[in-house]
Amino acid sequence: MRIGVLTSGGDCPGLNAVIRSVVHRAVTEHDDTVIGVQDGFLGLIEGRARPLALDAVTGILTRGGTVLGSARVARERMREAVAGAEQLAAAIGIDALIAIGGEGTLTAARMFSEAGLPVVAVPKTIDNDIDATDVTFGHDTAVSVATEAIDRLKTTAESHQRVMVVELMGRHTGWITLHAGMAGGAHGILIPERPFDVETVCCMVEERFSRGKKFAIVAVAEGAQPAPGTMRFAHGGTDAFGHQTFGGIGSRLAGEIAQWINKESKPVILGHIQRGGTPTAQDRVLATRFGWHAVEAVHKGAYGHMTALRGTEIHLVPIAEAVAQLKRVPEDRWTEAEAVL
Ligand code: F6P
């Protein structure tokens, strides 16, 4: 068979581990030819692809990013492309496609699949917000990076008796902030799922200092929102691809805390550092397993399906199930975290 593979949407540590695994399994077990499509669906639309032999994936397991490149495609252009799905596949000579990506990519993969292109999807995102899988690769790396940042901020905050407000990624869900906040022992954890009251946050910080504590760390997800009727704050507009933009909540909150308690309060925006660099061992293992199962899914003809981790096993689930809703932090997970704040 000739199997195309592409990475689409925001990058994430572990993408190269999936690509490597796909090539190894497809070439050595099935004698397939793997075609690497450049820059996600944009490369498919523009017919930019190259064969990936075993040599092409040597040494990429530990590398962050994606050797295939990634890009976002405007919705209208994607819809037009879907209408010509089979011709696009024929143009680069593939019988099936493995699409690795997050929510947007999975939606596109589903559309291409319904339009007759045989697609198997592999979920990725540092945000861990894809509902049909227990976890996505990339998340563990992002949490490790964010936790290390909190650890480092603690020592400098204590030296200077400061408050540090660390803004972490997560537009609609607070998984990175919840997990890094718990692992790093943050004193406040603010996530999109639970609108916060700025007064409560300021009082918590004030109370810490009044108990003789010398610093405070507040971890806030970029998409966290003040509760209605509290601090006024509006998130940004929309980007060129129609996605809502975020950013600014950390700086705004640090300013509010500084005014309230009359102590230095500094925002730290970790941003894309959470997405770059080498994946953790856990992410490499999950990515490698997903790659293996994606190739097997192609050979079983399980098109329109996605690899998913359920417990310790990898399952195939309909892509439609994965894009029906986002996986948000549930109340009980928040309750566990709250106990150690
Ligand atoms: O979805 C992954 C993610 O890293 C989000 O956490 C973040 O808000 C967004 O992508 C950033 O996207 P971009 O790379 O377009 O700035």
Side-chain angles (χ1 to χ4, degrees):
M1 276 184 100
R2 288 175 61 90
I3 304 176
V5 58
L6 62 77
T7 53
S8 176
D11 73 345
C12 156
L15 289 170
N16 285 328
V18 183
I19 296 166
R20 171 178 175 270
S21 173
V22 164
V23 171
H24 273 271
R25 183 69 186 166
V27 170
T28 55
E29 177 66 22
H30 298 287
D31 208 16
D32 296 325
T33 298
V34 179
I35 308 291
V37 182
Q38 296 291 315
D39 303 331
F41 286 106
L42 190 63
L44 180 66
I45 294 168
E46 295 174 353
R48 288 187 285 114
R50 62 185 160 97
L52 290 179
L54 288 172
D55 274 0
V57 295
T58 298
I60 69 171
L61 172 65
T62 56
R63 277 171 59 187
T66 160
V67 291
L68 292 176
S70 189
R72 294 196 161 116
V73 178
R75 279 182 196 149
E76 194 45 44
R77 191 154 186 219
M78 191 72 94
R79 267 193 286 272
E80 284 166 22
V82 166
E86 289 178 53
Q87 293 90 308
L88 293 177
I92 58 166
I94 56 171
D95 308 306
L97 177 69
I98 295 175
I100 313 165
E103 194 205 346
T105 303
L106 297 176
T107 303
R110 182 187 173 193
M111 285 157 61
F112 274 106
S113 171
E114 287 170 359
L117 179 67
V119 185
V120 166
V122 173
K124 68 91 213 166
T125 166
I126 62 164
D127 294 350
N128 193 35
D129 58 1
I130 294 172
D131 197 36
T133 181
D134 289 354
V135 72
T136 43
F137 66 85
H139 180 65
D140 187 60
T141 306
V143 170
S144 301
V145 170
T147 302
E148 189 188 342
I150 293 174
D151 292 346
R152 288 175 183 276
L153 289 171
K154 273 188 167 172
T155 61
T156 175
E158 187 166 21
S159 306
H160 294 270
Q161 309 212 355
R162 284 174 174 154
V163 181
M164 294 289 186
V165 179
V166 57
E167 182 181 304
L168 301 174
M169 278 187 164
R171 293 176 289 197
H172 307 293
T173 63
W175 290 105
I176 296 176
T177 306
L178 181 87
H179 289 154
M182 286 173 86
H187 310 108
I189 296 178
L190 309 177
I191 59 175
E193 291 86 343
R194 295 183 62 89
F196 65 89
D197 176 8
V198 66
E199 214 172 297
T200 310
V201 177
C202 291
C203 288
M204 176 279 289
V205 172
E206 191 173 40
E207 192 264 339
R208 261 187 74 74
F209 279 101
S210 72
R211 278 193 283 122
K213 302 287 180 189
K214 292 192 164 28
F215 70 103
I217 305 286
V218 179
V220 57
E222 62 185 342
Q225 307 260 7
T230 61
M231 181 178 95
R232 278 218 237 155
F233 179 82
H235 281 292
T238 47
D239 67 14
F241 304 100
H243 301 129
Q244 194 184 350
T245 55
F246 291 90
I249 190 72
S251 305
R252 179 66 200 283
L253 187 59
E256 292 285 329
I257 295 173
Q259 272 193 0
W260 183 283
I261 62 165
N262 200 22
K263 284 234 181 266
E264 271 190 301
S265 172
K266 303 239 175 204
V268 176
I269 298 162
L270 210 54
H272 292 80
I273 290 171
Q274 292 158 95
R275 256 175 39 190
T278 189
T280 59
Q282 187 174 309
D283 281 339
R284 293 179 208 177
V285 171
L286 182 59
T288 300
R289 293 182 72 197
F290 274 179
W292 191 100
H293 283 271
V295 172
E296 294 310 299
V298 167
H299 281 277
K300 276 188 216 147
Y303 300 122
H305 283 71
M306 179 192 95
T307 58
L309 183 71
R310 301 258 171 99
T312 56
E313 302 300 316
I314 310 283
H315 292 255
L316 293 174
V317 298
I319 300 174
E321 208 178 291
V323 295
Q325 59 177 18
L326 285 178
K327 179 174 67 192
R328 297 181 198 280
V329 174
E331 194 62 32
D332 57 342
R333 293 297 302 272
W334 169 256
T335 308
E336 291 163 5
E338 199 181 22
V340 288
L341 286 178

